[in-house]
Amino acid sequence: QIIQNHNSNAPVNFSAERIELQDRSDRVVLSGGVTVTQAGLTLRANNITAAYSNSGNIDVNRMDALGGVTIVKDDLRASSNSAIYDLDSDLITLIGNVSLTQGANKLNGGRIVIDLKAGRSTISGGNSQSPSVPGIQSQSGRVTGTFNVPQRDDKK
Amino acid sequence: MSIAADQQKSKRALFAQPGSSHDRIVGFLQVFLPLLVGALLAVLVFSPLANDREFSFVLDQKGVDVASERMRTSQALYRGKDAEGRPFLIEAGSAVQKSSGDSKINLEAMTGKAFIGKDQATIQAQRADYDIDQEYLQVNGPISLSTMSGYDMVVNNVTFFIKTQRMQSQGAVSGRTNIGTFSANRLNADLKARTITLSGNAQLRIDQNAIK
């Protein structure tokens, strides 16, 4: 289990050098050392655009992060060129020389999808159906990974 | 003549004798009265030198109760036109104009109506300075703005340019819109386009309370 079920409904805190609230297009554009924190998940990037739906209540649907993306949650560290955090389906898709370390496990690849609900990360080197992210051409990266299987302790 | 009359006459004759009480009184007064007049003259002559109190009277501006403001009205009402020629209205519980040169009027308990794009907005602020010439509201403290279509915000310490429907903060700013609460070093808002730009250590918190 990489991430215990993360609550993507929790309040979201943004901090950045510059934040633009565009009420008409229902989105918030942040730039300049952006940090987003939500219930223990920290997402950092140079630019983040958060789209929300405003049906009386505010529901952040998706965040597109661009440039020097790092994600930290419990003991997971991931970094990539860009990432898309889909809050509605609880998926974070990291694209562009992605590296993910979880305790001793390490994963590298062109594209990693972290499922926050199931706590699983699926990795795919190719750019099969990676969602198109403006400004990032998804390249097919080689997949490498090292896994440390915990030693079975016979005495127990 | 009767005895009484004789007695009466003799008493008066006695009174007229030299050395009677009448003479003594007159003699005393002959001496006392000139003395009294002399003493009085002396007092009058020496009085300005002797006493120390300042008799002179200078109109001291600080002392006098100067009216501190040029105009004080309650229930003030200002009308104007924004850039597109549409009317706006500012009402205030009390309005004080410090001096004639100063175009700023300090308003208390201000409410206003103005157009934001095609939307009509109501503005409220407890204390604001309204500049008659450039028609802007400089608010120290919170100003709340809410439009018919539900766009509402509360911002602290901003200047609201009614003519161009823009808002700018003088310094650090904090506030809330229907999206969430924010704070930053500076705020620049184009209300017509409904964009708020926060710059400098900007923070925003969105409380998602939509139940999925």
Side-chain angles (χ1 to χ4, degrees), chain B residues 104-178:
Chain B
K104 280 222 177 77
I105 303 182
N106 311 98
L107 305 179
E108 291 269 339
M110 187 279 297
T111 62
K113 291 242 177 319
F115 274 90
I116 304 286
K118 283 181 259 332
D119 217 340
Q120 233 218 342
T122 321
I123 320 150
Q124 262 144 5
Q126 185 49 28
R127 278 177 315 283
D129 293 345
Y130 175 54
D131 188 305
I132 320 172
D133 303 342
Q134 280 113 26
E135 287 177 338
Y136 65 76
L137 268 167
Q138 192 164 351
V139 185
N140 25 40
I143 177 171
S144 86
L145 178 138
S146 57
T147 69
M148 298 290 193
S149 64
Y151 180 60
D152 78 79
M153 62 194 283
V154 176
V155 197
N156 291 326
N157 310 334
V158 289
T159 305
F160 176 42
F161 298 94
I162 308 172
K163 263 204 170 335
T164 55
Q165 296 156 43
R166 291 187 68 83
M167 248 183 200
Q168 204 166 351
S169 76
Q170 290 96 325
V173 68
S174 63
R176 170 192 64 69
T177 72
N178 29 17

